[in-house]
Amino acid sequence: MPYLDLTHSLPRLRTNIPIYVHRLIITTAGRALLFFLIIYLLLIQACRHAFYRDPTSAFFDPSRAYERVYSLQRQQQADSFIQAANISVEEHPRPVKEVRMCLGIATVKRPGKQYIRPAFGSLMEGLTEEERKHIYTVVLIGHTDPSRHPINHEPWLENLADRVLTYDTSNEKQFETLVKWEHDKDYRKKAIFDYTFLLETCIQSGAAWVAMVEDDTLAVKGWYPRTMTALDVADSKSTDWLYLRLFFTEQFFGWNSESWPTYLLSSLSIVAAATLLLIGLRRLRYYTAISNWTIFTACFVCTPACILLYFMAGRLSMRPLPPGVHEMPNFGCCAQGMVFSSTVATRVVAKLKEKELGFVDMILEEWANEEKLTRFAVIPSLLQHIGGHSSKGDDFAPAQPMSVAERIFNFGFELYKQRGERVVHPTTDG
């Protein structure tokens, strides 16, 4: 079998390496390429530092990205608020005419920590007395035997919630069905029932708005005035919208595979523009300075490398979601926090009863797509998901150190900062 004899070639190559390096250094194109490589390596290091929180980036670092910064501070505030409510007897008379929003939370017993305590505390802590009068709170204990939930009859719940909701045992047929679903762990049916039960109760309160919040979330301080402002903006943008999303995860906002023709065309256009620019400059006055090798290096090495780094940096880093209230018809995920008008809430109840089983967010998205209903989201997110154990059964993906529930996370939420009595975010407050 013939083979390549490198016995004489390798020493010659080693001998010529200094010559190649020397030629690279003394030529204009060579010096420019070396300078570019140094800058490129520095940019890569800068990207590692700047974009580690971007889940759409090649520089995403889960070991640092999921670090809780603001949410830890907020959870401490919420826990202190609940502890204080546990030892005080407080009445909150709220005439119906003052109620503007009904806040519904369904909760079930979780393994270990009960997230409902900090969740409810974060929604209440920081509200002014006037804001508190505008909110009617309903907590559904989602067990046929409410005593199974550790928070049942805890003082804070009695002191803070306007209504603690339990299942109607007088409706024997319905109650037996709930017992069966609970025993069989038929979450897809029971979750729909709980959601519609809460929605109907909130509709009956007479509130203009219904906020449905899951029991494993944290709300930013000042969430209520921000939400009310966002609702006004949503109303000004559309007369037929389904919900205002208070939480979303950024994981699904990366470079979309279906858009690759656009990305490819844009990249080729940039390379072509750079090539035409250098050829034009050479013809005008830089004939000796801009060689063919210079053009080739700049346009077919450096430019593609820069384009590659742009895409590696991540879509959210290069094209951040603008703050404010914006349409979010795709990729939002999940149902941690949504606000409906009371009119739309009635339609949602009818739709969920029609479907009977499934996941609320998927049913709503399917319906919105069919009816072409507008969906809005507040950016940055007003809620953070803190649940490590799903109420629908835990789910650790293969080779993943975190459960699926733990990876439902809003990275931008952790950028909130407490400045005195105000909470600010770099995207909105600088």
Side-chain angles (χ1 to χ4, degrees), residues 6-21:
L6 299 178
T7 305
H8 302 292
S9 301
L10 288 177
R12 191 183 307 116
L13 179 62
R14 284 195 294 267
T15 303
N16 291 337
I17 284 177
I19 298 174
Y20 297 146
V21 173

Side-chain angles (χ1 to χ4, degrees), residues 187-426:
Y187 303 115
R188 293 198 303 166
K189 290 181 180 177
K190 188 172 179 297
I192 295 296
F193 179 88
D194 289 351
Y195 207 87
T196 55
F197 188 23
L198 259 180
L199 272 176
E200 288 177 317
T201 304
C202 273
I203 292 168
Q204 292 167 8
S205 73
W209 303 102
V210 178
M212 298 291 287
V213 178
E214 292 200 352
D215 69 338
D216 57 353
T217 58
L218 274 180
V220 64
K221 188 170 186 175
W223 71 272
Y224 176 72
R226 292 175 189 246
T227 299
M228 297 307 293
T229 300
L231 289 169
D232 289 338
V233 174
D235 265 345
S236 68
K237 289 187 173 186
S238 174
T239 57
D240 188 24
W241 55 276
L242 178 56
Y243 61 67
L244 175 71
R245 181 182 289 279
L246 304 184
F247 171 87
F248 63 93
T249 179
E250 303 100 326
Q251 296 179 38
F252 307 112
F253 285 88
W255 305 108
N256 300 321
S257 57
E258 60 267 25
S259 299
W260 73 264
T262 303
Y263 303 148
L264 178 61
L265 182 61
S266 300
S267 301
L268 293 176
S269 299
I270 292 172
V271 172
T275 305
L276 292 174
L277 176 63
L278 289 177
I279 291 175
L281 288 174
R282 184 172 69 170
R283 285 185 175 179
L284 287 174
R285 56 185 300 182
Y286 298 106
Y287 184 79
T288 57
I290 302 178
S291 64
N292 290 336
W293 175 246
T294 301
I295 294 175
F296 175 83
T297 303
C299 299
F300 300 102
V301 177
C302 299
T303 301
C306 289
I307 293 172
L308 176 63
L309 188 60
Y310 174 86
F311 283 101
M312 289 176 63
R315 184 179 182 182
L316 290 177
S317 298
M318 296 295 97
R319 301 180 186 178
L321 298 173
V325 178
H326 301 281
E327 290 188 31
M328 192 175 284
N330 299 306
F331 313 121
C333 184
C334 301
Q336 270 68 30
M338 294 179 176
V339 184
F340 308 93
S341 70
S342 58
T343 303
V344 172
T346 303
R347 295 167 60 193
V348 171
V349 168
K351 176 58 66 172
L352 293 178
K353 285 186 175 181
E354 174 190 320
K355 293 291 183 180
E356 292 186 348
L357 83 162
F359 298 102
V360 172
D361 56 334
M362 295 178 67
I363 292 173
L364 292 181
E365 297 308 310
E366 181 183 340
W367 179 34
N369 290 334
E370 290 174 355
E371 302 290 334
K372 295 182 172 51
L373 300 174
T374 305
R375 288 148 284 179
F376 289 111
V378 184
I379 303 172
S381 175
L382 302 183
L383 299 178
Q384 177 64 291
H385 181 248
I386 60 172
H389 302 280
S390 173
S391 61
K392 304 173 183 63
D394 223 4
D395 38 14
F396 282 87
Q400 290 286 351
M402 303 172 69
S403 69
V404 173
E406 289 174 308
R407 285 183 278 125
I408 298 175
F409 194 84
N410 185 276
F411 300 93
F413 184 90
E414 300 304 325
L415 301 180
Y416 280 110
K417 290 184 179 180
Q418 184 92 34
R419 291 183 183 171
E421 291 300 313
R422 295 180 63 239
V423 173
V424 297
H425 196 276

Side-chain angles (χ1 to χ4, degrees), residues 99-106 119-120 123-124 127 132 134-140 162-163 198 202 205 207 209-214 223 246 338-339:
V99 174
R100 299 182 63 190
M101 174 182 287
C102 179
L103 176 62
I105 307 175
F120 195 91
L123 290 163
M124 296 293 104
L127 293 176
R132 184 66 185 87
H134 291 163
I135 304 173
Y136 185 80
T137 56
V138 182
V139 177
L140 168 63
D162 295 296
R163 184 173 178 184
L198 259 180
C202 273
S205 73
W209 303 102
V210 178
M212 298 291 287
V213 178
E214 292 200 352
W223 71 272
L246 304 184
M338 294 179 176
V339 184

